[in-house]
Amino acid sequence: SSVVGVRPHVMAHAAPAPVSQADVVNRIPITGALMLATLMNTLDSTIANVALPHMKGSLGASQDQITWVLTSYIIATAIMTPLSGWLSLKVGRKNMFLACIAGFTAASALCGVAQNLPEMVLFRFLQGVAGAALIPLSQTVMLDIYPQRLIPQVMSIWSAAVIMGPILGPAVGGWITENWSWRWCFYINVPIGALATLALVSFMADDPGGRQRPFDFLGFGALATFVGAFQLMMDRGPDNDWFGSTETWIEAVVAGLAFWIFLIQTLTADHPFFHRDLAKDRNFVTSTVFGLCVGGILFSTTAVLPSFMQNLLGYSALQSGYASMPRGIGSLIAFLVMPYLMARIGPRRTLLIGIVLCTGALWSMSHFDLDMTAGPIVTSGLIQGLGVGLLFSPLNILAYATLNPVHRTEGTVVSTMLRSLGSSMGISVIQAQLTSSAAMAHARLGENLYAGAPALAAAGANPSTAAGAAVLNGQLTQQATMVGYVDVFSWMAVGTLFLLPLLLVMQAPPAAQIVPLEAAAE
């Protein structure tokens, strides 16, 4: 079936990347290089999360402004990711990889020398531009150089290596921040980038490129404009009183018009930026929507927990890093057992278990309090890590089970872009909700204070003096912020349950694509 008004015969498929015999022979060192590059990418994000409270003071940023360090990176990734697929077909995968690793490494060094918030946001944006292609293209290469029967196991191993970033990042970032400086959290990418570059130069076959379809400038421009305007609206909305501000209305209108232009261009152009066949594959569409929601609901917790631990519980950067490690360890365990689990119960049931675990973890986080020990943080983090880990590989298997291999590069690009966009939106929404809930809770708690109130006596604060009023306001703010976190975690738990209906839409992949680990190794 074709879209009405579209001439499908003029839509040429991009030629699939040739699989070099040398790449097949050298697939082990190539896999190692690709995992190093993606590890550098994921390691940097979690290191930055832990260092945010320290960066805030050095860069002169407020609590809501410092999140721009995260969202600028994510928005750059979301904008550049769709272009990375076309560029890799044009210049060749190897050249694309080398350019991206070099750019990411250089931008990391620039982040380390940033002196103020605008510089850091700019350098993080450049970092996101350079690193956008690393994960989707490395995934595409892995899908191409390994036989189909090994794909579930290879994807699990690759994902396990990638998740080492979230495992090591908090602890490494905390140790570096405590003992050296948060700036070294970015300098650490330099030797990793150099090693990955050396391995790719040595083992990956040259790819001249030249397989791209005609470039859709209007489609890409509209998509980039939509992502940029929408993210600006989400980031600046809370400060501008949302739609009480002219700026927010302008950003919303620009985002809406840009998305409409992109949609019409995709439906009617001879050579749209993304091939229309992607939208015809039910599994791919459903898995991509699932990934968008996972990015928005689950990944954003890693951005807010370090600030929660350091600002409310008084943890040091190193202590918050250690407390965050179980989340990554849980994901690593999930990735290691994934091949056996999917071989026995299938991808959809595995996703169901992952959703249940994530919901339970978020619900337990909604019962956090200011007097708790690190135990609840460690336990909920381990459970959520297990749950998130059980979502990755099944989504990859289901997304590409029925998709034409010719569209793999575009498919990985689209799914990565939307997952990044979901993460960015999630961080912005959570930060806005935290600010709003904390303000409302502060007002409610303040209404219950009066001269002679038991809470004042217990706090030992005399509001009639400036010092007493300051102490009282500080305690009120702390309690109100805690209420804000509890509200956010509760809503995230409920939101995770809304992923369940998507499982009913997905089709099970052919049985040949899911084999036990021991059988695949034969």
Side-chain angles (χ1 to χ4, degrees):
S1 61
S2 61
V3 180
V4 176
V6 175
R7 294 170 293 168
H9 64 278
V10 299
M11 287 185 59
H13 293 274
V19 181
S20 168
Q21 185 59 34
D23 284 347
V24 174
V25 172
N26 296 323
R27 62 190 180 194
I28 300 301
I30 290 175
T31 300
L34 298 179
M35 290 192 297
L36 265 182
T38 50
L39 173 64
M40 177 176 67
N41 196 327
T42 57
L43 181 69
D44 193 75
S45 63
T46 51
I47 280 181
N49 289 343
V50 174
L52 278 183
H54 290 260
M55 294 167 62
K56 182 175 67 173
S58 298
L59 302 175
S62 65
Q63 178 61 39
D64 57 336
Q65 289 174 334
I66 199 63
T67 58
W68 296 351
V69 175
L70 300 180
T71 54
S72 62
Y73 177 87
I74 297 173
I75 189 174
T77 302
I79 291 174
M80 190 61 186
T81 296
L83 186 58
S84 63
W86 185 87
L87 284 175
S88 69
L89 293 173
K90 179 176 177 60
V91 304
R93 286 176 180 169
K94 182 175 181 178
N95 294 331
M96 186 69 179
F97 267 122
L98 294 176
C100 288
I101 294 173
F104 190 90
T105 305
S108 298
L110 289 174
C111 288
V113 299
Q115 298 300 310
N116 51 55
L117 183 63
E119 287 184 4
M120 175 58 77
V121 171
L122 172 62
F123 297 150
R124 283 285 284 175
F125 185 88
L126 295 177
Q127 206 181 26
V129 168
L134 294 179
I135 291 180
L137 288 187
S138 63
Q139 183 180 355
T140 304
V141 172
M142 300 278 280
L143 289 170
D144 285 344
I145 64 177
Y146 284 91
Q148 186 64 48
R149 65 190 181 89
L150 289 177
I151 292 302
Q153 287 68 42
V154 169
M155 285 292 99
S156 294
I157 294 171
W158 176 76
S159 299
V162 171
I163 208 62
M164 289 303 292
I167 293 176
L168 299 176
V172 172
W175 188 88
I176 290 175
T177 303
E178 290 286 322
N179 293 278
W180 293 346
S181 165
W182 61 263
R183 299 181 184 278
W184 282 94
C185 293
F186 295 100
Y187 294 147
I188 196 174
N189 289 331
V190 176
I192 299 177
L195 186 58
T197 299
L198 179 63
L200 286 178
V201 169
S202 302
F203 297 105
M204 194 171 189
D206 290 330
D207 174 11
R211 300 180 305 278
Q212 77 282 1
R213 291 188 288 115
F215 188 72
D216 180 11
F217 287 97
L218 179 59
F220 173 71
L223 179 62
T225 302
F226 160 71
V227 172
F230 185 79
Q231 189 58 49
L232 277 175
M233 182 184 72
M234 298 300 297
D235 278 346
R236 294 182 53 79
D239 293 337
N240 294 332
D241 192 27
W242 290 107
F243 289 98
S245 163
T246 302
E247 178 187 332
T248 302
W249 275 106
I250 293 174
E251 290 159 355
V253 170
V254 170
L257 287 175
F259 182 76
W260 177 254
I261 293 172
F262 172 74
L263 184 62
I264 296 300
Q265 179 73 358
T266 301
L267 292 175
T268 60
D270 289 347
H271 302 286
F273 189 72
F274 288 132
H275 206 289
R276 287 187 283 270
D277 284 357
L278 294 174
K280 299 176 183 177
D281 189 284
R282 186 173 75 181
N283 264 24
F284 177 78
V285 172
T286 307
S287 298
T288 301
V289 172
F290 200 106
L292 171 71
C293 298
V294 168
I297 298 173
L298 301 177
F299 288 172
S300 48
T301 55
T302 61
V304 299
L305 276 177
S307 295
F308 165 75
M309 289 185 280
Q310 294 180 47
N311 295 336
L312 287 185
L313 302 184
Y315 285 22
S316 67
L318 184 59
Q319 288 172 327
S320 66
Y322 283 147
S324 300
M325 282 185 67
R327 188 178 309 275
I329 294 173
S331 294
L332 178 61
I333 294 172
F335 286 136
L336 293 177
V337 303
M338 185 71 64
Y340 299 99
L341 198 59
M342 285 200 295
R344 284 159 178 76
I345 66 175
R348 288 186 295 180
R349 290 190 179 93
T350 303
L351 285 175
L352 174 61
I353 296 174
I355 292 173
V356 171
L357 288 174
C358 288
T359 303
L362 287 168
W363 186 250
S364 69
M365 290 165 65
S366 70
H367 293 82
F368 282 178
D369 62 75
L370 293 173
D371 298 322
M372 69 180 184
T373 63
I377 298 175
V378 170
T379 303
S380 62
L382 182 66
I383 295 173
Q384 190 183 39
L386 280 168
V388 172
L390 292 177
L391 301 179
F392 267 98
S393 289
L395 280 179
N396 285 334
I397 296 297
L398 290 167
Y400 304 106
T402 55
L403 187 67
N404 189 327
V406 115
H407 299 311
R408 276 178 180 168
T409 297
E410 279 190 305
T412 55
V413 161
V414 171
S415 60
T416 303
M417 178 195 71
L418 289 180
R419 192 163 57 241
S420 297
L421 189 59
S423 299
S424 181
M425 288 190 298
I427 292 172
S428 297
V429 170
I430 284 179
Q431 190 59 51
Q433 185 60 40
L434 276 175
T435 302
S436 174
S437 295
M440 293 177 61
H442 192 284
R444 290 198 308 268
L445 292 172
E447 291 173 355
N448 295 322
L449 292 180
Y450 54 88
L456 293 179
N462 182 4
S464 63
T465 66
V471 170
L472 181 60
N473 184 64
Q475 293 180 347
L476 275 178
T477 300
Q478 188 181 43
Q479 293 287 345
T481 305
M482 185 70 247
V483 172
Y485 277 103
V486 167
D487 287 345
V488 164
F489 293 144
S490 299
W491 281 111
M492 292 171 71
V494 174
T496 305
L497 290 176
F498 281 95
L499 296 175
L500 290 174
L502 293 175
L503 299 180
L504 302 176
V505 184
M506 297 179 180
Q507 290 178 305
Q513 293 190 20
I514 307 174
V515 294
L517 185 61
E518 58 271 18
E522 293 178 357

